[in-house]
Amino acid sequence: MPCQLDVPQNLMFGKWKYEKPNGSPVFIAFRSSTKKSVQYDDVPEYKDRLSLSENYTLSISNARISDQKRFVCMLVTEDNVFEAPTVVKVFKQPSKPEIVSKAPFLETEQLKKLGDCISKDSYPVGNITWYRNGKVMQPVEGEVIIIFRKQMDPVTQLYTMTSSLEYKTTKADIQMPFTCSVTYYGPSGQKTVHSEQAVFDIYYPTEQVTIQVLSPKNAIKEGDNITLKCLGNGNPPPEEFLFYLPGQPEGIRSSNTYTLTDLRRNATGDYKCSLIDKKSMIASTAITVHYLDLSLNPSGEVTKQIGDALPVSCTISASRNATVVWKKDNIKLQSSPSFSSLHYQDAGNYVCETVLQEVEGLNKRESLTLIVEGKPQIKMTKKTDPSGLSKTIICHVEGFPKPAIQWTITGSGSVINRTEESPYINGRYYSKIIISPEENVTLTCTAENQLERTVNSLNVSANENREKVNDQAKLIVGIVVGLLLAALVAGIVYWLYMKKSK
């Protein structure tokens, strides 16, 4: 409840009070403007239910009917007292109305009590209305009699409303729903809450019995709950029947419904019901409880060594043909996996899924996480550049977990492009270096993972083509010099010839 006053600058303190029916005040809370302290008066009904904020808003927790009264906010200065009243109304929504004391049956053309409509814990008191097939029922002498009663709890001051209905039925009331409602007032105005429907039996002899399966789904699977309902076309229909379950010759006496919970596959069979006093009048229905079992062997996380064999089986047991799908790393496989000799690319997450068509929610899946481990294996190759000036050495490694590669070199020579690695795919990758040795050297490739450390070496000879290149350069220089000398001699001969001719 906010204090409906502007706080003055010279405020000394603020107080809240409420007024008794005779007008006398009862102070309940005090707050100083200077000390910022809050004091609550010793009023038993408000003990531990009050909270006064800095802006003098008063909060009351756990509201009660007795809180419906006139509260006053008081702001006190040195020369004045300001007051602002707040009138509190308390409402309590009644419980959902319920039709109780229902008649077990109604007889045509006889005025009989149909039942009581009851709604509890209301404040203020509410009003109850009866409905037949959604239409308001009005009192009619000799046909519809409605008696309304209210009672207040002296402790809580809450009302309980009861409305009794006496009604003369006809055949038109067969399967006709009756309801009641409670209309009450709340902070936002008038509201209405309706009860559940009630349907009453109307007498006439039963000539035929039928049985129904009340199930929210077309197909029934293991774990479902179903309700069997047995009906007689009499007026009223019988209240009790005998229900016969598969394999049980003796009937189970029950109302017109019998509920079976957590069905198992052995519940498949014919279900019957009959009248208690006339067992020859019987009806039956067939129920199939569908099931689906999946067994994956092995399953979970499995670690194997490369080259091992691993048989995998996904066994299905179902009430009808089921479809089976295998997936590896969320990609559908064309056939079920089988491993006679494991490779690194066989590692992954395998899932066996099965679905029973036309049975909603009946599917199973199990998974296998396959890890293929292997010690590092090394294969080294070399390739000489066409110029003969450099050699490319490649260290091919396979293994899982991924081995780390390290190079070492023995001898002299320059290393061109220390290392270059390929991507690690399916347990394999390589590392290469380009070298131009000046003398014979030995290259060592080391691969290591958690399983083992493997070493392999390759001898690389010095570049022999360097001497051949030098010899070729000398030959070219000699040829060029020879050609120049030959040209000089030819020139002298030509000059002498020309001179002699002149």
Side-chain angles (χ1 to χ4, degrees):
M1 292 179 289
C3 184
Q4 306 294 335
L5 292 172
D6 294 330
V7 179
Q9 292 183 351
N10 57 346
L11 177 68
M12 297 174 57
F13 59 86
K15 299 184 72 174
W16 276 87
K17 66 180 180 179
Y18 71 83
E19 297 175 351
K20 291 183 176 181
N22 60 8
S24 61
V26 178
F27 292 95
I28 56 177
F30 169 90
R31 188 180 190 99
S32 171
S33 64
T34 56
K35 296 181 180 180
K36 304 298 182 182
S37 61
V38 180
Q39 297 177 5
Y40 300 105
D41 294 84
D42 185 16
V43 181
E45 67 173 307
Y46 288 106
K47 181 177 176 59
D48 299 328
R49 293 202 298 137
L50 299 179
S51 175
L52 185 58
S53 67
E54 291 185 2
N55 63 357
Y56 299 96
T57 295
L58 180 66
S59 299
I60 302 177
S61 62
N62 191 21
R64 303 171 182 173
I65 301 300
S66 60
D67 294 329
Q68 181 165 293
K69 56 189 65 167
R70 188 174 186 265
F71 292 83
V72 179
C73 174
M74 303 174 59
L75 298 182
V76 181
T77 65
E78 292 182 355
D79 53 3
N80 207 346
V81 175
F82 302 92
E83 293 190 353
T86 299
V87 177
V88 174
K89 294 285 187 180
V90 180
F91 299 90
K92 174 63 173 66
Q93 176 181 336
S95 65
K96 182 177 180 178
E98 182 181 5
I99 299 177
V100 298
S101 303
K102 292 183 286 189
F105 60 88
L106 300 175
E107 296 182 78
T108 58
E109 303 305 323
Q110 290 191 19
L111 184 65
K112 188 173 183 179
K113 182 178 177 179
L114 186 145
D116 294 327
C117 179
I118 186 170
S119 179
K120 301 178 181 179
D121 300 333
S122 175
Y123 192 87
V125 67
N127 186 47
I128 292 179
T129 304
W130 283 93
Y131 302 85
R132 175 186 177 276
N133 197 27
K135 296 182 179 180
V136 176
M137 300 181 69
Q138 300 289 351
V140 177
E141 185 177 355
E143 295 182 5
V144 179
I145 299 176
I146 300 174
I147 301 174
F148 179 77
R149 299 183 300 275
K150 64 180 180 180
Q151 183 178 2
M152 186 183 73
D153 187 304
V155 177
T156 65
Q157 299 180 10
L158 299 178
Y159 288 95
T160 294
M161 295 82 66
T162 305
S163 177
S164 299
L165 173 63
E166 293 185 27
Y167 178 66
K168 180 185 288 188
T169 186
T170 66
K171 287 186 177 181
D173 294 315
I174 297 173
Q175 298 299 315
M176 189 66 64
F178 289 82
T179 59
C180 65
S181 70
V182 58
T183 301
Y184 64 96
Y185 288 89
S188 58
Q190 182 174 289
K191 293 185 179 181
T192 300
V193 179
H194 290 268
S195 72
E196 300 294 333
Q197 292 183 348
V199 178
F200 297 87
D201 296 333
I202 312 298
Y203 257 140
Y204 65 78
T206 296
E207 298 175 352
Q208 184 181 7
V209 173
T210 58
I211 186 171
Q212 300 175 354
V213 179
L214 305 181
S215 173
K217 302 172 184 176
N218 294 328
I220 301 169
K221 66 180 185 299
E222 282 192 318
D224 282 350
N225 302 333
I226 64 169
T227 299
L228 301 176
K229 186 173 185 178
C230 200
L231 300 173
N233 66 347
N235 196 6
E239 296 178 352
E240 290 187 319
F241 294 86
L242 289 175
F243 287 88
Y244 300 87
L245 307 185
Q248 299 182 15
E250 294 296 325
I252 300 173
R253 187 165 181 161
S254 177
S255 64
N256 67 336
T257 59
Y258 184 79
T259 300
L260 298 141
T261 60
D262 193 22
L263 290 174
R264 299 292 100 188
R265 63 194 65 181
N266 58 5
T268 295
D270 289 333
Y271 290 77
K272 302 176 182 179
C273 72
S274 71
L275 296 179
I276 292 177
D277 55 354
K278 195 175 182 180
K279 297 181 180 180
S280 61
M281 191 175 294
I282 194 167
S284 67
T285 185
I287 293 177
T288 300
V289 180
H290 293 284
Y291 62 91
L292 178 62
D293 296 330
L294 183 150
S295 176
L296 177 61
N297 186 32
S299 61
E301 184 174 299
V302 176
T303 301
K304 304 292 289 185
Q305 297 296 313
I306 188 169
D308 287 353
L310 179 64
V312 178
S313 63
C314 186
T315 305
I316 306 299
S317 176
S319 55
R320 63 168 63 166
N321 291 335
T323 58
V324 179
V325 174
W326 274 96
K327 292 182 180 179
K328 179 188 177 185
D329 299 329
N330 293 324
I331 299 176
K332 185 177 179 181
L333 300 178
Q334 297 300 319
S335 60
S336 58
S338 180
F339 311 105
S340 58
S341 178
L342 286 170
H343 299 83
Y344 291 115
Q345 57 265 35
D346 294 328
N349 185 48
Y350 294 84
V351 176
C352 179
E353 298 179 335
T354 182
V355 176
L356 206 60
Q357 299 294 336
E358 300 178 0
V359 181
E360 181 183 351
L362 194 53
N363 55 75
K364 297 290 180 67
R365 60 178 290 167
E366 288 197 30
S367 63
L368 162 66
T369 301
L370 176 59
I371 300 173
V372 181
E373 292 186 341
K375 302 175 182 178
Q377 302 292 325
I378 297 177
K379 178 182 178 183
M380 297 184 69
T381 61
K382 68 179 178 179
K383 181 180 179 182
T384 303
D385 186 81
S387 68
L389 298 178
S390 65
K391 291 181 171 61
T392 300
I393 314 302
I394 303 176
C395 182
H396 300 270
V397 176
E398 68 175 28
F400 185 87
K402 180 183 179 180
I405 297 178
Q406 183 178 2
W407 286 93
T408 57
I409 183 169
T410 304
S412 63
S414 60
V415 176
I416 307 168
N417 189 353
R418 172 68 63 178
T419 59
E420 178 183 337
E421 290 189 355
S422 67
Y424 181 69
I425 300 175
N426 292 330
R428 298 179 180 180
Y429 77 119
Y430 66 81
S431 175
K432 71 178 181 179
I433 65 172
I434 301 174
I435 189 171
S436 179
E438 297 174 357
E439 62 180 11
N440 294 342
V441 297
T442 300
L443 287 174
T444 301
C445 177
T446 302
E448 183 177 4
N449 64 9
Q450 290 89 327
L451 302 179
E452 192 172 88
R453 183 173 183 266
T454 304
V455 179
N456 200 355
S457 299
L458 181 66
N459 295 322
V460 181
S461 59
N463 287 326
E464 300 173 355
N465 286 348
R466 292 194 176 210
E467 295 180 1
K468 293 181 181 180
V469 170
N470 293 335
D471 293 341
Q472 290 174 355
K474 293 177 182 179
L475 178 60
I476 292 171
V477 172
I479 293 173
V480 172
V481 173
L483 290 175
L484 291 174
L485 291 175
L488 179 59
V489 171
I492 295 172
V493 171
Y494 179 73
W495 179 77
L496 292 174
Y497 170 76
M498 293 298 295
K499 185 176 181 182
K500 184 178 180 181
S501 299
K502 288 181 180 181

